[in-house]
Amino acid sequence: MFPMPAPMRAALDAARAAADAGEVPVGAVVVSKGAIIAVAANAPRTLRDPTAHAEIRAIRAAAELLGSDRLEDCDLWVTLEPCAMCAGAIAHARIARLYYGAEDAKGGAVAHGPRFFAQPTCHHRPEIYSGIGEDEAAGLLRAFFAARRA
């Protein structure tokens, strides 16, 4: 088995921090030129902002750091398949590569639902790599929701 890539390890750590804060455990990391430049956790409840998904927060932080709305040479690592809102932000930011862990059959928009990047109206399509850290990411989500139901 291959070792977990550092960006996904950082995204999983952010997801755990989200869970500790009572948020759905999703973490995201932006990488530029091989270095992690932004790490974010889900925070819609904490920030009272429905757009405060981990991906959006990481993209915003990276854009601020780089001083550009175009993240053309950047990669996004996220623990869960992005939703339609986040897929739209990925396209608008021109993220080069998307790596994600667990699939989301209900809310995902990459391999499920609208399959955002396959739409003819999508103006930018990143390279997509799924299943990286999937077991650990899915386990965090299962444990979080099981605890909430208990």
Side-chain angles (χ1 to χ4, degrees), residues 8 26 50 62 79 85 111 119:
M8 185 55 80
V26 178
T79 58
M85 175 181 70
Q119 298 305 312

Side-chain angles (χ1 to χ4, degrees), residues 86-101:
C86 293
I90 291 163
H92 283 282
R94 306 293 201 279
I95 296 288
R97 284 164 293 282
L98 167 65
Y99 300 86
Y100 69 88

